Amino acid sequence: MATTSTTGSTLLQPLSNAVQLPIDQVNFVVCQLFALLAAVWFRIYLRSSKTSSFIRHVVATLLGLYLALFCFGWYALHFLVQSGISYCIMIIIGVENMHNPMMIITQKITSLAYEIHDGMFRKDEELTSAQRGLAVRRMPSLLEYLSYNCNFMGILAGPLCSYRDYITFIEGRAHPRTPPGTAGKEDLPGDRAEPSPNVAVIQKLFVCGLSLFFHLTISKTLPVEYNIDEHFQATASWPTKVVYLYISLLAARPKYYFAWTLADAINNAAGFGFRGYDENGTARWDLISNLRIQQIEMSTSFKMFLDNWNIQTALWLKRVCYERASLSPTIQTFVLSAIWHGVYPGYYLTFLTGVVMTLAARAMRNNFRHYFLEPPQLKLLYDILTWVVTQVAISYTVVPFVLLSVKPSFMFYSSWYYCLHIAGILVLLLLPVKKTQRGKTTHENVPLSRSEKCDERGNSLGQNSFSTTNNVCNQNQEIASRHSSLKQ
């Protein structure tokens, strides 16, 4: 029996028992699948061209609140009350400082707070171009605010989106009037091309299916907890420990791939997430994508991994903390990330370790990478070596995040003799560190090709939505606007 206590509905308890999964997880998956179907209906029958924004706001909000009530029961009422209180506070105090204990709504409230503050309480010349592109120039209505926070596409798993992007979608201004190759044609009222998200949704659902399969089969056979098993620690050789550490953390990732990719597919199915067309005229549906799996698994630097993992949260941390911090922005950003995740000590151990790893990786990259760019064979060797080091360092860093508690986390680190902590500290002490200033970067600037242009927010307009082009565009845009990126 998979009976567990829940504040949400127990209607699906028989299904929970049949699949041997906790009722909370079953409720979440079923509600997300319902949201996917609702998204298709929303896009077809409540199309912005024939339905008012008011109706779209109301339906999106009511469906979202129903899903929250089904999953969380009475806690959903707390969710709604917190949203209402936060809205009143924003009006009263001018949104100087906003915080909320729930993870997704925390991101949305703080993001909107700063976007309103930038748009209504700061001068344009004080803003970066990215901040100007996101700034909100008028106070949202209560309905708009609730719809942004509680819409059915993102209430359970996000991802975070900017308020302006969401309102543009609801009001039907998200699609360009003409696809590529028709720039010379005159835009006529109502003559806007609305691309179909069907291909993107099907591709993402295929990824979801694979991720769920791996999670339900392989992941359970490779528990992270086995890294601190006494017999394993006493008998396993060091190569075995390293390999199992990497494999066990690799096996822990599919559940995140499943949840975030499904959330992205739901938004796309509703017609939200369209970024534009690439140079071949193919629609891109990665505006609010939260991860790039290929780049994650092939990361050759700590920064590359973080740039492609939980993308929207990284952007949120950059926008509300890193860009606005006057002292030690990297440390402040990691601390905020730990606080946002919750109260488990493992979160704090992971993110404090992450500070050391990030700074050490930056120092190593700045001091040595340029020696290995030529010839190609040497660059390949460098890439292989840095891939191995990065994957082991990432796995080492996030073990406490999975174990959660202090004792097992320290058991793991002590079994490894804190070797990567010591190595990271020695790197910072021995290697010269190029201090970054706002507006300068220690990493090389990669020139953009003609097919890798950026819009005014630094979003890539290139053809490959699952490449690191977006990161390059963000870096170059922020350099031009006197801000360095989060993990440089």
Side-chain angles (χ1 to χ4, degrees), residues 61 68 90 164 182 279 285 298 303 352 401 409 423 452 479:
T61 304
M90 285 204 304
R164 287 190 61 174
T182 58
E279 62 180 7
W285 288 90
M298 299 304 294
K303 180 184 183 300
L352 290 176
F401 191 94
S409 299
E452 294 172 337
I479 292 167

Side-chain angles (χ1 to χ4, degrees), residues 87-286:
Y87 177 78
C88 295
I89 292 174
M90 285 204 304
I91 295 177
I92 294 171
I93 69 173
V95 294
E96 288 293 341
N97 295 289
M98 283 275 72
H99 186 73
N100 194 282
M102 291 163 287
M103 297 177 74
I104 298 298
I105 198 173
T106 295
Q107 291 183 327
K108 290 187 173 182
I109 289 175
T110 51
S111 293
L112 180 56
Y114 278 115
E115 288 162 7
I116 294 175
H117 177 67
D118 290 341
M120 298 179 63
F121 299 95
R122 295 178 68 189
K123 298 177 181 179
D124 270 2
E125 54 267 25
E126 298 174 351
L127 306 177
T128 68
S129 59
Q131 289 170 344
R132 280 193 294 272
L134 296 171
V136 176
R137 307 292 178 177
R138 68 168 181 85
M139 187 65 67
S141 68
L142 179 59
L143 177 60
E144 290 171 332
Y145 176 79
L146 291 176
S147 178
Y148 172 61
N149 283 298
C150 304
N151 68 81
F152 72 95
M153 295 100 70
I155 194 169
L156 297 183
L160 172 68
C161 63
S162 74
Y163 174 79
R164 287 190 61 174
D165 284 336
Y166 179 74
I167 293 300
T168 296
F169 155 70
I170 289 292
E171 295 179 352
R173 296 182 283 112
H175 307 295
R177 293 183 180 273
T178 53
T182 58
K185 294 183 180 180
E186 182 180 357
D187 285 341
L188 300 176
D191 180 30
R192 70 178 57 182
E194 184 171 332
S196 171
N198 293 344
V199 173
V201 171
I202 291 172
Q203 290 174 341
K204 291 173 184 180
L205 290 180
F206 178 72
V207 172
C208 287
L210 286 179
S211 300
L212 184 61
F213 172 77
F214 281 114
H215 173 64
L216 294 178
T217 55
I218 298 176
S219 297
K220 290 188 175 182
T221 65
L222 298 167
V224 176
E225 291 77 9
Y226 191 63
N227 284 285
I228 58 173
D229 179 81
E230 293 183 0
H231 178 73
F232 175 76
Q233 290 182 347
T235 60
S237 63
W238 265 105
T240 302
K241 290 181 179 179
V242 172
V243 170
Y244 186 81
L245 173 67
Y246 166 68
I247 293 178
S248 63
L249 269 299
L250 175 66
R253 292 200 277 268
K255 64 180 179 181
Y256 297 100
Y257 295 163
F258 168 77
W260 289 339
T261 305
L262 179 57
D264 195 16
I266 291 169
N267 281 272
N268 292 170
F272 186 32
F274 176 67
R275 189 198 286 272
Y277 296 94
D278 64 23
E279 62 180 7
N280 297 319
T282 303
R284 299 181 58 197
W285 288 90
D286 61 340

Side-chain angles (χ1 to χ4, degrees), residues 6-13 15 23-32 34 62-77 155-156:
T6 178
T7 59
S9 172
T10 57
L11 179 65
L12 300 176
Q13 187 65 58
L15 177 60
I23 182 66
D24 288 338
Q25 294 182 16
V26 172
N27 283 349
F28 170 80
V29 173
V30 170
C31 282
Q32 284 294 76
F34 172 81
L62 291 179
L63 284 175
L65 292 176
Y66 172 76
L67 294 180
L69 186 65
F70 189 91
C71 281
F72 308 120
W74 59 266
Y75 190 73
L77 298 178
I155 194 169
L156 297 183

Side-chain angles (χ1 to χ4, degrees), residues 42 46 51-61 143 170:
F42 188 86
L46 295 183
T51 307
S52 69
S53 299
F54 176 82
I55 297 298
R56 283 164 63 85
H57 276 305
V58 170
V59 172
T61 304
L143 177 60
I170 289 292

Side-chain angles (χ1 to χ4, degrees), residues 470-488:
N470 289 339
N471 298 324
V472 173
C473 290
N474 285 331
Q475 293 168 12
N476 283 270
Q477 181 65 30
E478 288 152 12
I479 292 167
S481 61
R482 307 190 311 274
H483 278 75
S484 60
S485 63
L486 172 61
K487 272 94 51 182
Q488 288 180 326

